[in-house]
Amino acid sequence: MIALSDVHKTFGSNAVLKGVNLTIESGTSMVIIGGSGTGKSVLLKSVLGLVHPDSGLITLDGKDVTKGDRDAFLARFGMLFQGGALFDSLTVWQNVAFRLLRGSLKRPKSEAREIAIEKLRRVGLKPDVADRFPAELSGGMQKRVGLARAIAAEPEIIFFDEPTTGLDPIMSGVINDLIREIVVEMGATAMTITHDMTSVRAIADHVAMLHGGVIQWTGPVKDMDQSGDPYLDQFIAGRAEGPIEAVR
Amino acid sequence: MILLSPLGALGRTSLGFLASIGRVALFALATLRHMVSPPFYGREFAVALLNIGWLSLPVVGLTAIFTGAALALQIYAGGARFNAEAVVPQIVAIGMVRELGPVLVGLMIAARVTSSIAAEIATMKVTEQIDALVTLSTNPMKYLTAPRVLAALLVVPCLVGVGDIIGIFGGYAVATGSLGFNAAAYIKNTVDFLEPLDIISSLVKGCVFGGIAALMGCYYGMNSGRGAQGVGRATKGSVEAAAVLILAANFLLTGIFFSL
């Protein structure tokens, strides 16, 4: 279980997180929604230790994430970055098997390549993609490779940062379905940030809306449309009129 | 208040400058620590050796040969004013080995390698590849910085040695081809005149300049701002800092070697 308690983060004079409280149960899929610049990525990166909160506590299974063996902590996570964040200088299979080629999870090269090709197949890519470089792939293929890399070491927890941004509706649907299938299949805990409502309905068990530096609303995805929260209603409907200022 | 405003600005600038020196020093110490502690990334080190060393040979060779050739012409013309044309081999040798070889190689490495490292790492930062490394349990300092700096420390002295030889050959070619020097006498005068300390100082300078060049590329890359502008600023800043630091280090090292 991941728990965030009164997490604050300020950049210069801009207070992004103003006391976030959120719990993500093990084996569930939590989707965090919110407008651009509301701190969704900061929240996600705070859990991983890529951003250090000014105050507050983040725990994983009751243990403070800032304490203990960092490598062991990170080995439990996989992450799909918004732009894929694939390493340009490595081939696709080397990207996917990055974790399996070095460090505590190191395997023989041939075994790591086999696993990489299997994961590529799992996300719908043919084995002939394995020896290409990321720059030779389309945006959708890069996202799939990023997804394959995120699941290569079979992590317990997977983070998805804007998984469908920049993709056409069909490819977005494919990625959403893949994420849902993989999370269910692996029994992983998932935390996704997005402002794509189609993704929310496809991926989420629970939804949390981040607005004004705090969690404005949280609950099961089935309750989202009847929440009665004016902020959430405006966001779901995509209206310019409402409590959320359209010009920020 | 009007009088205090410029003083305040001066103070802020001074503090900012000192803080940046501190940050670079801490970055250098962290790099050293990562260079000597496992895990070691052999593939990254080999790629850095290739990029910094082998692929820099053409630009280093061309720079050295033209500099050596021009130096021979200048010394011949200058020496003729007081009937000292015969010193061309000695002055070309000492000029190339003690000063021009290491400095020019250092500056060419700053232009070619520092800019490349800074742009590559800054782009990795902008596209979240550095964050991806962290999430894949890989320390970016250990994976990106340590192999590049170590490779530069080892390979730039070799480049300087090659540059020295090619520069002396440039002077030899001009002196024997168009200034009427005897080939065998030119080589003998060059070899006889150079002392071991000249060569040692050249290689030590190469090592220091290589370290500075790679370190500045990594430092500015790792600390770049967002977007294309951030990458551009990081690249420009890294080359400026590397070039200035190489020239300053050259002055200090020359002073030290003169005092030996």
Side-chain angles (χ1 to χ4, degrees), chain A residues 45 74 86-88 98-99, chain B residues 128-129 131 134-135 137-138:
Chain A
K45 288 180 178 179
L74 287 170
L86 301 176
F87 305 123
D88 307 323
F98 191 90
R99 205 172 225 166
Chain B
E128 295 186 300
Q129 291 178 52
D131 284 347
V134 175
T135 63
S137 307
T138 303

Side-chain angles (χ1 to χ4, degrees), chain A residues 7-243:
Chain A
V7 174
H8 288 74
K9 180 66 188 174
T10 300
F11 294 98
S13 58
N14 182 24
V16 178
L17 305 179
K18 301 176 187 171
V20 171
N21 294 292
L22 186 66
T23 302
I24 301 145
E25 297 291 340
S26 296
T28 63
S29 174
M30 168 67 81
V31 174
I32 297 168
I33 57 174
S36 302
T38 51
K40 301 188 297 295
S41 290
V42 174
L43 183 65
L44 193 142
K45 288 180 178 179
S46 296
V47 178
L48 285 167
L50 297 172
V51 169
H52 302 288
D54 300 328
S55 63
L57 180 67
I58 302 173
T59 61
L60 174 62
D61 296 337
K63 291 177 189 158
D64 187 343
V65 297
T66 60
K67 298 191 170 80
D69 183 347
R70 180 122 181 94
D71 279 352
F73 168 75
L74 287 170
R76 298 176 68 180
F77 286 85
M79 177 151 178
L80 170 61
F81 284 85
Q82 187 175 348
L86 301 176
F87 305 123
D88 307 323
S89 59
L90 302 180
T91 59
V92 164
W93 85 263
Q94 287 169 332
N95 265 281
V96 174
F98 191 90
R99 205 172 225 166
L100 308 174
L101 290 168
R102 45 186 71 75
S104 58
L105 301 174
K106 189 172 179 177
R107 319 255 173 113
K109 200 173 170 182
S110 58
E111 190 187 333
R113 186 183 160 89
E114 264 179 44
I115 294 171
I117 289 173
E118 172 54 32
K119 296 299 176 191
L120 286 170
R121 198 175 281 125
R122 180 67 195 84
V123 298
L125 291 171
K126 292 177 183 166
D128 64 351
V129 171
D131 292 312
R132 291 202 224 162
F133 283 91
E136 299 172 67
L137 306 179
S138 67
M141 289 167 92
Q142 288 188 15
K143 275 271 162 73
R144 291 194 203 200
V145 174
L147 185 54
R149 184 174 69 182
I151 62 171
E154 308 207 336
E156 297 166 46
I157 305 152
I158 314 176
F159 286 179
F160 303 97
D161 185 359
E162 308 269 10
T164 56
T165 297
L167 300 180
D168 65 64
I170 295 169
M171 187 53 68
S172 296
V174 170
I175 296 287
N176 287 336
D177 291 345
L178 267 174
I179 289 173
R180 186 69 211 177
E181 281 170 29
I182 287 167
V183 168
V184 170
E185 185 179 294
M186 293 172 61
T189 306
M191 187 166 159
T192 308
I193 57 174
T194 186
H195 34 59
D196 176 354
M197 293 313 296
T198 311
S199 291
V200 176
R201 295 180 200 283
I203 298 171
D205 293 323
H206 292 86
V207 178
M209 183 182 180
L210 186 63
H211 180 75
V214 296
I215 298 296
Q216 180 67 34
W217 182 88
T218 185
V221 66
K222 62 182 170 54
D223 297 345
M224 185 175 68
D225 293 314
Q226 296 83 38
S227 69
D229 185 278
Y231 291 87
L232 183 62
D233 287 345
Q234 184 191 352
F235 192 84
I236 292 170
R239 289 193 307 266
E241 297 80 25

Side-chain angles (χ1 to χ4, degrees), chain B residues 114-171:
Chain B
T114 308
S115 58
S116 157
I117 291 175
E120 184 185 1
I121 296 180
T123 304
M124 288 183 75
K125 190 174 180 201
V126 168
T127 56
E128 295 186 300
Q129 291 178 52
I130 304 282
D131 284 347
L133 276 176
V134 175
T135 63
L136 293 164
S137 307
T138 303
N139 187 317
M141 286 290 287
K142 205 173 269 301
Y143 184 75
L144 296 173
T145 303
R148 284 165 172 78
V149 175
L150 183 61
L153 285 170
L154 295 175
V155 84
V156 174
C158 302
L159 284 174
V160 168
V162 171
D164 290 347
I165 293 166
I166 294 175
I168 289 171
F169 174 76

